[in-house]
Amino acid sequence: MLRTHKCGELRKAQVGETVTICGWVDSRRDHGGLVFVDLRDRYGKVQVVFDPSEGAEQHAAAGDVRNEDVLQVTGRVVARAPKDVNAKIPTGEIDIRSQKLVVLNKSRTVPFEPSTTNPPNEEFRLKYRFLDLRRPRLQELVLFRHRLTKLIRDYFDRDGFLEIETPMLGRSTPEGARDYLVPSRVHPGCFYALPQSPQIYKQILMVAGFDRYMQIARCFRDEDLRADRQPEFTQVDIEMAFVEREDILQTVDGLVKFLMREVRGEDFPLPLPRLTYREAMERYGSDKPDLRYGMELHDLGPLVQNCGFSVFKNTLAGGGRVRGLCAPQAAEKYSRRQIDDLTLFVKDFKAQGLAFFRVTEAGLDSPIAKFFTPEEQAAIKAEFQAQPGDVIFCVADKPSVTSAALGALRSRLGKELKLFDPNQMHFAWILDFPLFSWNEEEKRWDAEHHPFCNPVPEDVPFFETDPGQIRATSYDLVINGYEGASGSVRIHDPAVQQKVFDLLGIPAEQAEERFSFLLEALRYGAPPHAGIALGLDRWVMLFTGCDNIRDVIAFPKTQKASDLLSGAPSTVDARQLKELSIRVEEPPK
RNA sequence: GGCUCCGUAGCUCAGUCGGUUUAGAGCGCUGGCCUGUCACGCCAGAGGUCGCGGGUUCAAGUCCCGUCGGAGUCGCCA
């Protein structure tokens, strides 16, 4: 070992001991006579004093030391005089008086200091990720991720779950997200796909009798990125046999309670709240509402069906809806111009427009208020129990558009009006999703969750009459407006599986070709089973209060899926391509 | 693929409404001084294809078009 102690662990208790420590130069203060160096490792930093009276050589060498050089220092731990104590750091009551200095490695001048209080832009941080990761904040996030992952493993281990690895090189299935493909050398023209999730394998593990499975699984989806989406990400993948929906919900409820206690010391009440999909869409306009605040959507149809405002009246007459929400005390924060911005915002969600009313003592103040009788105004005000200073926003449109537009508006206003405590974590289940959704462009039914999701048994008759009515035995766990986990009871009956494929328009022979290994497995005694997958990156992000997923991933990719540190993706040698029987059609410029 | 924002010294930024001169500051860097600093201090200094390309103009960091890169978002994400 090159060290006897870590920099950050030294305290008054070690005073008098001679120690050897290693670390990076966090900063150097050269007083000509005395030289002070803050030496940093991942446990913290400690001040080393280089005094000429302890040896001319080590003192002179300290004068040549620069930031981020790697040092090994042997010296005595001494207590600081009371006036010299630095209360800002845990090691501030002691110094290391150097007796020997070894420069283990010089550093080039770093493009930015890990100790900076004002980190550079993200592009630069990603290019020099090894320096960025030296920053205390990032070290803290990496450490927390380790801890959370370990707690999750412990929780499932204690409950008898087995961690089983599944292949990374699998078979491409055209449904779902775009696959990342890996060419096969020994099978020219054939490709593996990296897993979008271990879905099929974990179901097969159930058939194989491993009735409690979990895996911290890396997954890959070649879709466009977001603040909470990376092309490769980590799922806590769970599957259980001989269980019902309720068992999965309770298992995850227990995990949440366990984590909230271990991480935050909070006694989290169970069960977690549950809402149906229909209820979520009706009250919040979203299937993943942020439930840290209210500001619910209200149906204004009955109140305005006879009003003088033709937009509302005509929309209602045409089968549309008029819905709205009441933004508390927004009148002063939103000028006319800012409301125009909100109007543009809801147009992104296909809304034709955004009506608004400023709530006053007397009634409603708005360019369109004149179209509403005093009674109608009073009714709208009463519907929201609106207070003077509030602003009521309304969208009149197709039902789905009112949800999408108002759901997005609610989310935006919630942030802008700071309607929630950023430290709070709110978990809720969304249940009874539709099993299928109608794809208007392609004129066909799509699986809302995935094609292996079991329908709610009493809805099975709807297969013949109204597939849109079929509820799925699926469930999402929503955390602060993010989809934190998603799962379902699976189909274990080949006949039901066949019904689903039929409705999705996947011909029997095609289903057989794509999923034969699953379908075959289901025919050999598949137990009823259900599962769920947690988005580990998002959980870490939410627990740590980060606003993007990249900060909790050691080596993340940019929005264009590049790794700025390594330069991936890159072109490859012609020889490699030839070996793989691949010809690139249009070589990059 | 669409929309929006950003790109000036190694880094963080200023550079105005309204186009012009030698493009500035702080941090960092280099040299010197300094024995109790911890955002050390003091003195001196170096450092710029204003992302890139084109256009408008007597004149472009500034205006216009394109492009590259980064971010947010819609589509997409069974």
Side-chain angles (χ1 to χ4, degrees), chain A residues 127-429:
Chain A
K127 185 171 170 190
Y128 294 97
R129 192 62 164 175
F130 47 88
L131 294 179
D132 198 26
L133 286 167
R134 286 182 193 170
R135 290 167 51 222
R137 173 62 175 162
L138 281 245
Q139 298 235 325
E140 192 181 295
L141 294 173
V142 168
L143 192 120
F144 179 82
R145 184 177 178 130
H146 160 80
R147 211 180 129 218
L148 192 77
T149 308
K150 168 120 179 22
L151 287 169
I152 291 170
R153 278 207 170 93
D154 289 348
Y155 174 83
F156 285 106
D157 176 60
R158 215 172 297 164
D159 222 359
F161 285 77
L162 301 181
E163 186 161 0
I164 306 173
E165 290 168 277
T166 52
M168 300 297 273
L169 297 175
R171 181 184 173 129
S172 174
T173 54
E175 280 73 27
R178 220 172 276 120
D179 283 325
Y180 276 101
L181 295 177
V182 179
S184 162
R185 175 179 56 82
V186 290
H187 301 280
C190 292
F191 295 82
Y192 302 98
L194 300 179
Q196 297 177 23
S197 81
Q199 182 61 38
I200 291 175
Y201 287 108
K202 68 175 175 178
Q203 290 192 241
I204 290 175
L205 286 170
M206 293 305 107
V207 178
F210 296 101
D211 58 359
R212 293 184 160 216
Y213 146 92
M214 77 86 67
Q215 183 182 192
I216 310 285
R218 195 65 69 83
C219 305
F220 305 84
R221 293 179 190 175
D222 185 7
E223 296 292 348
D224 286 347
L225 280 68
R226 289 287 185 280
D228 65 342
R229 260 162 45 185
Q230 282 272 304
E232 57 178 309
F233 60 102
T234 305
Q235 283 186 349
V236 180
D237 200 38
I238 310 294
E239 197 76 11
M240 301 169 80
F242 306 117
V243 294
E244 299 168 306
R245 180 178 86 177
E246 189 60 30
D247 300 289
I248 301 287
L249 302 192
Q250 285 184 17
T251 299
V252 176
D253 275 12
L255 174 69
V256 169
K257 189 179 181 74
F258 172 68
L259 294 178
M260 290 302 281
R261 189 180 67 220
E262 293 296 317
V263 172
R264 299 192 156 206
E266 289 175 27
D267 184 21
F268 213 69
L270 296 183
L272 299 176
R274 299 177 183 190
L275 289 116
T276 64
Y277 169 83
R278 191 180 286 267
E279 201 179 348
M281 296 306 288
E282 191 59 29
R283 291 170 60 189
Y284 305 101
S286 168
D287 62 357
K288 45 181 166 64
D290 190 337
L291 296 171
R292 288 175 297 179
Y293 55 94
M295 201 160 64
E296 294 189 16
L297 277 46
H298 287 242
D299 185 4
L300 300 179
L303 307 181
V304 298
Q305 56 187 342
N306 297 315
C307 74
F309 188 48
S310 57
V311 173
F312 283 9
K313 219 163 60 181
N314 295 344
T315 300
L316 290 169
R321 299 185 69 185
V322 178
R323 299 163 78 194
L325 58 78
C326 178
Q329 298 305 299
E332 285 196 3
K333 290 181 185 153
Y334 288 87
S335 65
R336 182 57 210 265
R337 194 194 148 82
Q338 286 163 311
I339 290 177
D340 287 344
D341 281 347
L342 295 178
T343 305
L344 287 175
F345 176 72
V346 297
K347 284 183 175 170
D348 285 346
F349 299 88
K350 305 282 182 290
Q352 302 290 321
L354 182 67
F356 69 93
F357 304 95
R358 291 198 173 90
V359 180
T360 63
E361 292 289 352
L364 300 176
D365 177 27
S366 164
I368 58 168
K370 58 180 177 247
F371 298 113
F372 298 86
T373 64
E375 291 72 30
E376 284 165 339
Q377 295 191 16
I380 292 170
K381 218 173 133 177
E383 172 70 22
F384 289 105
Q385 298 183 319
Q387 303 301 313
D390 294 352
V391 180
I392 295 168
F393 293 98
C394 305
V395 171
D397 223 303
K398 287 199 309 195
S400 61
V401 170
T402 60
S403 286
L406 288 168
L409 184 66
R410 175 177 178 274
S411 169
R412 176 170 168 172
L413 291 174
K415 288 189 189 92
E416 292 183 356
L417 293 168
K418 298 189 170 61
L419 295 183
F420 54 85
D421 168 6
N423 293 317
Q424 189 197 344
M425 290 191 69
H426 190 288
F427 299 81
W429 289 106

Side-chain angles (χ1 to χ4, degrees), chain A residues 51-177:
Chain A
D51 189 323
S53 68
E54 301 280 354
E57 204 180 322
Q58 53 91 32
H59 175 259
D64 293 330
V65 152
R66 292 295 180 270
N67 284 349
E68 301 308 311
D69 285 353
V70 185
L71 308 185
Q72 180 192 46
V73 174
T74 303
R76 246 175 31 258
V77 181
V78 298
R80 294 195 194 183
K83 72 174 173 58
D84 293 333
V85 165
N86 181 355
K88 286 184 227 159
I89 57 172
T91 62
E93 290 187 297
I94 53 127
D95 282 330
I96 310 301
R97 283 188 74 83
S98 164
Q99 288 155 340
K100 187 180 171 209
L101 166 62
V102 178
V103 178
L104 296 172
N105 211 348
K106 291 289 288 177
S107 170
R108 283 192 177 184
T109 300
V110 287
F112 67 95
E113 304 283 326
S115 58
T116 184
T117 49
N118 183 17
N121 72 66
E122 199 175 352
E123 186 177 354
F124 201 74
R125 286 172 44 204
L126 290 176
K127 185 171 170 190
Y128 294 97
R129 192 62 164 175
F130 47 88
L131 294 179
D132 198 26
L133 286 167
R134 286 182 193 170
R135 290 167 51 222
R137 173 62 175 162
L138 281 245
Q139 298 235 325
E140 192 181 295
L141 294 173
V142 168
L143 192 120
F144 179 82
R145 184 177 178 130
H146 160 80
R147 211 180 129 218
L148 192 77
T149 308
K150 168 120 179 22
L151 287 169
I152 291 170
R153 278 207 170 93
D154 289 348
Y155 174 83
F156 285 106
D157 176 60
R158 215 172 297 164
D159 222 359
F161 285 77
L162 301 181
E163 186 161 0
I164 306 173
E165 290 168 277
T166 52
M168 300 297 273
L169 297 175
R171 181 184 173 129
S172 174
T173 54
E175 280 73 27

Side-chain angles (χ1 to χ4, degrees), chain A residues 13-31:
Chain A
Q14 283 84 34
V15 166
E17 290 180 36
T18 295
V19 299
T20 300
I21 53 174
C22 296
W24 288 263
V25 175
D26 199 61
S27 75
R28 179 184 61 114
R29 294 173 295 281
D30 186 347
H31 287 228

